[in-house]
Structure formats: structure tokens, C-alpha cells
Amino acid sequence: MQERAARTRQAVLEAAADEFAERGYEGASLQRMVWRAATSIGALTFHFGNKTALAEEVSAAGHARFESCLEDLAAAPDPLRELRTLIGALARLAHEDTFVRATRRLEADRPGEVPPLSEVWLPVLRGLLDRAHGAQRLRPGVSPQDAVALLAHLAEGAMAAHGATRDSAWDAVWDSVWNVVLHGLAADRTGQADQTGQTGQTGQTGQTGQTGQADQADQADQADQAGRAGRAGRTDAPDATEPTTLTDSTTLTECGAEPA
């Protein structure tokens, strides 16, 4: 008996999801629901009470299916690749899952009364963009907040297109759209490598310049030392028999000159 009641309840719930997805809250009919479920109004009211309670149950089921799908998404090393998978999954659910389509329709018909599905997927999208920003995968000048706004609109648009036929042409359009978005969001890794190389070259150039300046200073010091030695030789020349000390040679060596 309980198993039969569970089957009846599920059949009514699925029929209600179909009705809400096709006609919205106001246009949905309890009579059509029981006809779809092959049951009676008495069975419907026994399990759910009224249309409002049915709408809440359908919305809860839509949220649960969304959450289950997001949990099953495979993580990717590249957060931008994972973002593409996420938005593709959102579009697929909005196209293929009756409960998700019904929930989105109920959101539009009863704003503020039905929790929005974005409460499920938007935090996931934000988290992936934060990862991309931390990994320097976003183009310089693109903030995570701006990227969230762009991709949230893209996701909503992809889900709103659930009425289109999902075929190879649809997939080709989606690939093209994502490539355009990725071009605007993703950092140019080749450009980063070039900048790194240029920075290294600049550092080498600076070191070369510093070395040249040091050599010029050493040469000037040597000339000054030689001048002082010449002047000292003219006024106080040592005796030819007096042994020469290493004082001058030591001083030149400390200033950078090579010893003899």
C-alpha cells in the first residue's frame, strides 16, 4: 500500500512539473495534472493539498537536481575550462530536466516566493573565477566581479535558450560563443612570457650599464692616482738606492686596478 502511494505521489509530482514548465503557475491546471498522472483530484489533494504546495515541492526537486548535477561535475586543473563545463551543464539541465524548467518558470511567475536557482550555481561560478584570478588566468584589468556579471548573464542566456534543439549546430554556436568570451577573459600566456623575457633583458641591460659605470669610475680613480703619483715624484723623488714599498701598488689594487 505504501509503495503504491509513493508511486502515485511521484506521478503527480512529475505531472505537476510538466504542467508548470509548459503553462506557468497561473496557467497550470490541477485537472490536467491528475489526467497526466492517471489519478484523481482526491489523490492529489491527499499528497499535496493544493497548487501552491505542489509548486513548492516541484521547486525543491528542481533545486535538488541542480545541486546533484553540480556535485557530479568533474574538477579541472584549469578553472576557466571548468567554468565552460559548468555553464554547459546549466544549459543542458534547463533544456532536458522538466523539474529545472518548471522551477525556472515558477521563478519568473512568482518572484520572491520561489528561491532562485542562482542561489545554487552562482556561488560555484564565483568560486571558479576567484580560482582563475588567483592563478593569474584572467586578463589584466578584468576583475572577478566583472567576470561574474558577464558569465552570469551568459549562463542565464544559455538556460533561456532551452527551447532550441540541442544538435551539432547548437553545440557549434555554443563553442564559438565561449571562444569569444574566453578571448576576452583569459590572460595571454604568451604575452606574459614575453613580458618576463623583456624584464630579464631589462635587468641584464641595467646590470651591464652599472658595470660600465663602475669601470669608468675605476679608470678615473686610476688617472687621479697616477696624477698624484706624478706630482709627488716631481717634488719628492725617492733615492734610487732606496727600496720601493708596496703602498702605491696596494692602494691601486683596492681601487680596482689589477696588481702588477
Side-chain angles (χ1 to χ4, degrees):
M1 190 68 176
Q2 290 180 348
E3 186 177 331
R4 180 181 176 184
R7 286 199 303 267
T8 299
R9 186 182 189 280
Q10 184 61 28
V12 171
L13 193 60
E14 292 175 359
D18 286 332
E19 188 74 6
F20 287 134
E22 293 175 7
R23 302 175 184 273
Y25 183 79
E26 295 298 333
S29 164
L30 296 182
Q31 287 291 348
R32 279 192 296 268
M33 291 180 193
V34 298
W35 178 80
R36 287 173 183 262
T39 188
S40 65
I41 285 288
L44 183 151
T45 55
F46 172 78
H47 287 289
F48 298 102
N50 53 41
K51 187 163 74 170
T52 300
L54 257 176
E56 291 173 354
E57 288 284 343
V58 167
S59 175
H63 279 75
R65 293 185 180 217
F66 237 68
E67 291 171 355
S68 177
C69 176
L70 295 183
E71 289 173 358
D72 291 341
L73 288 179
D78 184 356
L80 294 183
R81 181 180 295 276
E82 197 168 340
L83 277 167
R84 184 190 190 285
T85 303
L86 168 66
I87 297 176
L90 299 180
R92 180 182 59 78
L93 277 175
H95 175 74
E96 298 177 356
D97 193 296
T98 303
F99 282 90
V100 172
R101 292 205 312 272
T103 303
R104 286 179 53 79
R105 183 69 183 269
L106 289 170
E107 281 183 30
D109 290 353
R110 308 176 70 208
E113 298 183 36
V114 175
L117 281 171
S118 59
E119 290 182 354
V120 177
W121 61 264
L122 196 53
V124 179
L125 187 145
R126 285 198 183 100
L128 290 173
L129 281 169
D130 286 341
R131 273 181 54 200
H133 180 66
Q136 297 183 340
R137 290 288 287 118
L138 295 183
R139 184 180 295 276
V142 175
S143 70
Q145 293 79 10
D146 292 341
V148 166
L150 171 65
L151 293 182
H153 282 84
L154 178 63
E156 289 288 356
M159 288 187 284
H162 62 73
T165 302
R166 289 293 300 270
D167 53 17
S168 57
W170 195 97
D171 291 335
V173 170
W174 166 240
D175 287 340
S176 298
V177 169
W178 180 253
N179 287 337
V180 171
V181 171
L182 191 63
H183 179 75
L185 285 180
D188 185 354
R189 290 184 170 181
T190 303
Q192 290 179 344
D194 290 343
Q195 290 177 356
T196 302
Q198 291 173 1
T199 302
Q201 292 175 357
T202 302
Q204 291 175 355
T205 302
Q207 292 175 355
T208 302
Q210 292 172 358
T211 302
Q213 291 174 353
D215 289 343
Q216 291 176 354
D218 291 342
Q219 292 175 0
D221 288 340
Q222 292 176 22
D224 183 60
Q225 290 287 344
R228 287 201 299 268
R231 289 194 298 272
R234 288 193 300 269
T235 58
D236 190 20
D239 185 79
T241 59
E242 185 177 349
T244 305
T245 66
L246 296 176
T247 303
D248 289 345
S249 176
T250 305
T251 303
L252 291 176
T253 301
E254 290 176 351
C255 292
E258 292 293 333

